[in-house]
Amino acid sequence: MVLDKVLWLFAFVTLVYCKAARQIEQDIQSVEAYIDSKKGDINQRYRLRYHIAAPVGWINDPNGFTYYKNEFHLFYQYYPYDSVWGPMHWGHVASRDLVHWKYLPTALVPEKEQCFSGSAVVDGDTMILMYTGHVNLDTEPWANETQYIAYSDDGITFHKYEGNPVISSAPNGSPDFRDPKAWKYGDHYYVVIGSKTDDKRGQVLLYRSTDMKNWEYLNVIAESKGDSYMYECPDLFELDGKFVLLMSPQGMEPQGDRYKNLHQTGYIIGSFSYDTFEFVPEVDFQEIDFGHDFYAAQTTEAYGARVLVAWFNMWEQPRPEAEDGWAGAMTLVRELRLVGDRLTMRPLDAMTLLRDEIEMVGILPPQQKLHLGKASELIVSGDLKEKIELQLEGSAGGEKAWLRWEPDTGKVVVDRGSGDIRQVEWSPSSTESWRIFLDVSSIELFCGEGEVVFSSRLFPEGEWIVTNTSPQILHATAYSLAWSVPL
Ligand SMILES: *[C@@H]1O[C@H](CO)[C@@H](O)[C@H](O)[C@H]1NC(C)=O
């Protein structure tokens, strides 16, 4: 009799569970069918060729960057049904070299919770995603954010854990509690999560677990003194003997050249102890990229190196591509190094795999124009005692930009015209050239060994034309680059 009841209960639970799993499978199939039916309608005029973007719809933060079963996996905040933000899914791409990407089916679909940002860890043959379940509420505080996990045994199909949420509230109950970045060290998983104090200052919380399900709260590892109301997307990692706390603080006020984007992404260098769980800052917060469009960066380890990718956009900016049925992209993946008090970012060595034709090698006299394809790489150098300036424009008009070296101020400037300028001091550590990646609607400028990097979106029409508008002869090498992200 008792056994009977247990069996019935078991059957009932299995039925409910299978029904839920089937529902999710159907939801994913219908998302994929929608994507397939719409992607032919996309206007390709601004479509990037070697940067990740969604086939259709909106993307923001990179998520779940990890290496699993011989491939790198990257997920992104995704709303397939419009080119504006909407209920969050996780889109999914994978790559063997972090340069050539393929699409995989949407990994997570929202149910009662939206699937906000998070990360991935690998446990043997299983990939485990940890993400923020965001549930809208009808009354204050309007939303509830708790931490969820999902499993996969093939890196394609993900099953949400039935016991979610695994962390059901911040220690102070703050409704802003998101973007878990988990990693394994020794016998434990650790996770850092962005949140805020009761008096609305950004903070980063640290937890640990032995199974990803039961979490022990450890410590606040960073807290704003009042210049930021929320720390998003924290990421803590060891690099060259130090610890780096990467994060995206919201609400920092502009100070001169600094913090001119709506929200920032940057880092604090310090030391961290797995015995006391304390992070001791040694160098104050610094921006990691100086361009107009860069947010919510996330890192992973790749062949012993630390690599980073970020959302190649900023909140509340005009997005000309949105008219075309898509919005948002990822930056190139970069390798991080710690050099003195700063992080440097360099393009991956594998980026040279994309070089197709050599467009030019030689000198570029003043006023000389260089006609390049829509996807190009340009390496430029000149005499840093004199001004250097390149004008970037489209062969059929559209937006223009200028890349400038100003010897008087020692600054590199990325100027999108009408005062829309980002600039920062640059002192080359060894290499004095610039490496510039131009995609259909983007510019990435790597100065020297990546001491200073700018990532900015730009919307020229037609192919790229680069003009040497400096008063001096420049040396230039240019390549056309191949597609590495499918349409
Ligand atoms: C948020 O969700 C958690 C977990 O489901 C629940 O324990 C908590 O009461 C919720 N908070 C609010 C404000 O609804």
Side-chain angles (χ1 to χ4, degrees):
M1 189 62 195
V2 172
L3 184 66
D4 227 37
K5 274 188 186 149
V6 170
L7 279 176
W8 271 113
L9 183 68
F10 179 74
F12 178 71
V13 168
T14 309
L15 185 74
V16 167
Y17 178 61
C18 287
K19 215 175 147 204
R22 220 171 26 244
Q23 182 58 50
I24 289 179
E25 215 171 285
Q26 280 167 9
D27 289 349
I28 287 182
Q29 276 166 12
S30 72
V31 173
E32 292 308 304
Y34 175 83
I35 294 169
D36 277 345
S37 73
K38 286 287 171 187
K39 67 184 180 196
D41 300 344
I42 299 292
N43 180 341
Q44 306 294 348
R45 61 186 169 151
Y46 298 132
R47 189 77 190 170
L48 298 159
R49 297 185 176 184
Y50 58 95
H51 289 84
I52 298 160
V56 298
W58 163 280
I59 74 174
N60 55 283
D61 309 0
N63 296 154
F65 197 14
T66 194
Y67 186 72
Y68 172 75
K69 293 189 176 172
N70 304 317
E71 280 186 315
F72 292 96
H73 289 258
L74 182 67
F75 304 81
Y76 43 81
Q77 290 286 281
Y78 188 29
Y79 183 61
Y81 299 111
D82 201 346
S83 40
V84 295
W85 188 91
M88 281 291 116
H89 301 54
W90 275 34
H92 189 186
V93 288
S95 171
R96 290 196 181 265
D97 59 8
L98 295 168
V99 170
H100 296 87
W101 295 91
K102 65 178 180 194
Y103 290 112
L104 290 173
T106 303
L108 297 175
V109 291
E111 294 174 276
K112 65 178 191 300
E113 92 292 6
Q114 292 188 46
C115 306
F116 272 24
S117 284
S119 53
V121 293
V122 173
D123 176 23
D125 278 342
T126 306
M127 193 196 310
I128 310 173
L129 306 182
M130 185 170 193
Y131 65 97
T132 297
H134 177 101
V135 178
N136 289 328
L137 304 175
D138 294 334
T139 53
E140 284 232 56
W142 308 114
N144 191 11
E145 296 189 325
T146 63
Q147 313 314 318
Y148 280 51
I149 56 175
Y151 294 96
S152 177
D153 292 322
D154 60 5
I156 297 171
T157 314
F158 292 83
H159 307 281
K160 294 178 186 174
Y161 172 55
E162 312 89 84
N164 282 329
V166 293
I167 307 179
S168 54
S169 147
N172 66 355
S174 170
D176 290 287
F177 181 47
R178 57 182 173 267
D179 312 334
K181 176 68 164 58
W183 71 98
K184 193 161 192 190
Y185 179 82
D187 295 334
H188 284 93
Y189 295 101
Y190 290 81
V191 69
V192 281
I193 304 178
S195 192
K196 60 174 61 154
T197 61
D198 292 344
D199 61 352
K200 298 193 169 47
R201 290 175 291 118
Q203 60 177 9
V204 177
L205 307 169
L206 176 70
Y207 292 75
R208 75 172 174 184
S209 169
T210 52
D211 58 6
M212 293 292 288
K213 297 175 196 156
N214 299 288
W215 290 92
E216 174 194 0
Y217 168 67
L218 299 173
N219 203 4
V220 176
I221 59 160
E223 195 167 278
S224 162
K225 294 189 179 77
D227 55 356
S228 162
Y229 60 79
M230 175 69 194
Y231 284 169
E232 291 198 308
C233 304
D235 189 345
L236 180 68
F237 53 89
E238 202 173 346
L239 187 67
D240 302 328
K242 293 285 177 192
F243 277 82
V244 176
L245 178 62
L246 176 74
M247 57 183 179
S248 295
Q250 295 184 306
M252 293 178 84
E253 292 292 327
Q255 291 174 21
D257 290 343
R258 301 281 58 79
Y259 315 148
K260 288 177 80 173
N261 294 340
L262 178 63
H263 300 306
Q264 318 310 322
T265 296
Y267 59 95
I268 300 171
I269 299 167
S271 59
F272 173 75
S273 159
Y274 282 102
D275 297 323
T276 61
F277 311 119
E278 272 179 307
F279 177 78
V280 180
E282 292 169 11
V283 187
D284 274 350
F285 180 83
Q286 307 177 67
E287 284 167 287
I288 191 165
D289 186 290
F290 299 94
H292 297 75
D293 298 282
F294 186 97
Y295 193 65
Q298 187 174 96
T299 72
T300 193
E301 212 178 289
Y303 307 116
R306 185 54 63 168
V307 296
L308 172 147
V309 65
W311 183 37
F312 205 167
N313 289 93
M314 179 46 61
W315 292 107
E316 293 169 40
Q317 298 301 303
R319 273 172 246 284
E321 71 226 24
E323 285 172 31
D324 303 340
W326 66 286
M330 295 292 139
T331 64
L332 291 180
V333 176
R334 298 110 191 253
E335 183 181 336
L336 297 182
R337 299 214 180 141
L338 184 66
V339 179
D341 280 353
R342 313 259 310 245
L343 288 183
T344 62
M345 291 199 288
R346 305 185 333 148
L348 299 181
D349 292 344
M351 280 306 292
T352 56
L353 297 174
L354 293 187
R355 288 177 183 170
D356 195 7
E357 306 269 338
I358 298 189
E359 300 284 333
M360 90 151 268
V361 185
I363 60 163
L364 197 61
Q367 299 313 316
Q368 177 92 26
K369 284 188 191 307
L370 193 55
H371 290 257
L372 299 175
K374 283 173 175 270
S376 301
E377 178 188 348
L378 182 62
I379 299 167
V380 175
S381 60
D383 178 359
L384 294 181
K385 289 200 267 316
E386 277 186 72
K387 180 176 164 180
I388 295 175
E389 188 182 71
L390 294 172
Q391 176 178 287
L392 308 179
E393 65 192 315
S395 57
E399 293 184 358
K400 284 187 190 182
W402 292 265
L403 310 182
R404 212 157 33 236
W405 162 250
E406 290 178 345
D408 300 346
T409 56
K411 289 179 186 176
V412 179
V413 185
V414 174
D415 180 351
R416 295 198 299 198
S418 313
D420 190 14
I421 280 173
R422 297 290 180 275
Q423 58 183 353
V424 68
E425 278 93 8
W426 175 45
S427 34
S429 60
S430 54
T431 313
E432 294 195 345
S433 56
W434 288 353
R435 198 161 162 203
I436 303 158
F437 286 90
L438 302 174
D439 203 341
V440 181
S441 57
S442 73
I443 302 170
E444 278 153 299
L445 167 59
F446 295 85
C447 301
E449 295 294 314
E451 298 89 7
V452 162
V453 180
F454 294 82
S455 305
S456 296
R457 299 293 304 277
L458 193 81
F459 296 86
E461 307 291 340
E463 314 229 292
W464 285 102
I465 297 178
V466 178
T467 311
N468 176 8
T469 45
S470 354
Q472 60 168 314
I473 292 171
L474 300 177
H475 294 265
T477 307
Y479 304 90
S480 59
L481 300 184
W483 296 78
S484 67
V485 176
L487 280 179

